[in-house]
Amino acid sequence: MTLWRTINTGLAAVILIIGVSTAVWAGNVRQNLAQESTLETIQKNQTLRVGFSTFKPWAMKDKNGDFIGFEIDVAKRLAEDMGVKIRFIPTKWDGIIPALLTGKFDIIIGGMGITPKRNLKVNFSDPYEFTGMSIIASKSAASGKKSLADFNNPATKVSVRLGTTAEKAAQNFLPKATLLKFSDEAASIQELLNGRVACLIASNPLPANLVQKYPGKLYLPLKGDFTKEPIGFAIRKSDPDFLNYLNNWIKVTNSEGWLELRFNYWFKTAKWESLVE
């Protein structure tokens, strides 16, 4: 009886030690995760570093050389709510995810569509906006084309921005067409204006704005967007604290109506055009 009592007492002591050790280890893990979070680094450095690429009206330069646009407004509001300064880091779109992963900036705020392929490399926040792809066509190179099927043939050249969801949409909806890929938005537009491609695939309001600006050269063959995609913030993996903050920030700004207000200004009005032209 004394032997069993001794054994039970020993087991209880071992279990107690394991329990305490596990609790201490879990606490240390939580503390380390918090310390390693990008959120902590931003607070420590008092600066939010934002990676983005220029897409009208997501982000662009005004007449004074300053960056403006929907994503610029979003990034500035995010930094303001965090109580830190902001630093914009322009980056070529086809290299923006590798740049994030190597620590060149803290977050991508650049109209990035949430896709399974991208999600393998980065974590996405909840969507804070939705966008869709549209086709804008050349009157000289695509006369009479009025449907996706009309553009889906090897003789049709289609201009897209390299590494974007516009490129993916073109591959999915126009698999037989000949795609010309450009790393620069201006170059992809110029090909269209010169009549060297039949159409350009891009997210609105770019197609609508281009038609309004060049009515003699361009037209919209479809009545509306042919895709719908969620837009989210992209951050490095294994950072639950930062992701939690971003998701809650989106909830709050959505509930205030602020995101909708800024989106409507940049995507549903032309008031900003005088700032860049």
Side-chain angles (χ1 to χ4, degrees):
M1 194 74 175
T2 303
L3 177 60
W4 280 110
R5 188 176 297 136
T6 302
I7 292 173
N8 288 338
T9 301
L11 285 173
V14 170
I15 291 171
L16 177 62
I17 291 170
I18 292 174
V20 171
S21 298
T22 301
V24 171
W25 174 82
N28 288 338
V29 168
R30 286 193 295 270
Q31 186 176 8
N32 289 337
L33 281 174
Q35 290 175 346
E36 293 169 3
S37 173
T38 302
L39 191 61
E40 293 298 316
T41 302
I42 293 168
Q43 294 296 309
K44 180 180 178 181
N45 297 333
Q46 282 294 290
T47 302
L48 174 66
R49 301 174 303 159
V50 177
F52 71 102
S53 191
T54 51
F55 295 84
K56 291 182 180 180
W58 300 92
M60 54 204 158
K61 279 190 175 182
D62 65 12
K63 294 175 181 178
N64 299 320
D66 298 321
F67 288 111
I68 61 171
F70 175 66
E71 299 291 28
I72 303 302
D73 284 357
V74 169
K76 286 181 176 179
R77 169 69 190 268
L78 179 61
E80 179 184 340
D81 289 344
M82 295 177 76
V84 299
K85 298 177 182 178
I86 193 163
R87 179 184 169 197
F88 290 110
I89 303 175
T91 307
K92 285 188 176 296
W93 188 254
D94 54 351
I96 200 166
I97 287 180
L100 171 69
L101 299 181
T102 55
K104 291 185 178 180
F105 36 80
D106 305 311
I107 187 173
I108 297 174
I109 304 180
M112 179 167 278
I114 300 172
T115 69
K117 184 177 180 179
R118 288 172 177 164
N119 210 174
L120 292 172
K121 296 181 179 180
V122 301
N123 276 353
F124 282 105
S125 68
D126 293 338
Y128 59 92
E129 196 47 73
F130 290 84
T131 188
M133 292 298 148
S134 184
I135 291 182
I136 180 169
S138 164
K139 288 185 175 181
S140 61
S143 180
K145 295 182 184 294
K146 297 181 180 180
S147 68
L148 287 171
D150 291 338
F151 291 91
N152 190 27
N153 58 75
T156 299
K157 293 180 180 180
V158 179
S159 177
V160 295
R161 183 90 176 264
L162 181 67
T164 63
T165 46
E167 179 186 356
K168 189 66 176 177
Q171 292 169 344
N172 288 339
F173 288 87
L174 304 175
K176 296 179 182 179
T178 301
L179 300 188
L180 300 184
K181 306 172 185 179
F182 300 89
S183 60
D184 181 69
E185 183 176 71
S188 67
I189 294 173
Q190 196 58 50
E191 287 293 292
L192 179 68
L193 293 175
N194 292 339
R196 288 194 286 264
V197 296
C199 68
L200 166 71
I201 292 182
S203 61
N204 267 314
L206 179 62
N209 289 343
L210 286 175
V211 165
Q212 188 176 21
K213 188 174 182 180
Y214 304 102
K217 290 186 175 183
L218 308 175
Y219 74 101
L220 296 173
L222 307 180
K223 291 184 178 180
D225 298 339
F226 63 92
T227 69
K228 183 179 181 180
E229 62 186 67
I231 303 299
F233 300 131
I235 63 172
R236 289 181 287 275
K237 287 186 172 292
S238 302
D239 198 344
D241 284 352
F242 195 23
L243 191 61
N244 174 265
Y245 180 88
L246 294 172
N247 286 338
N248 285 326
W249 184 88
I250 291 167
K251 290 186 181 91
V252 170
T253 49
N254 262 328
S255 68
E256 295 173 349
W258 184 86
L259 280 170
E260 182 180 8
L261 182 68
R262 299 319 300 156
F263 183 86
N264 288 343
Y265 172 80
W266 290 105
F267 287 82
K268 296 183 179 180
T269 76
K271 296 177 181 178
W272 54 268
E273 290 185 353
S274 62
L275 301 174
V276 296
E277 296 176 355

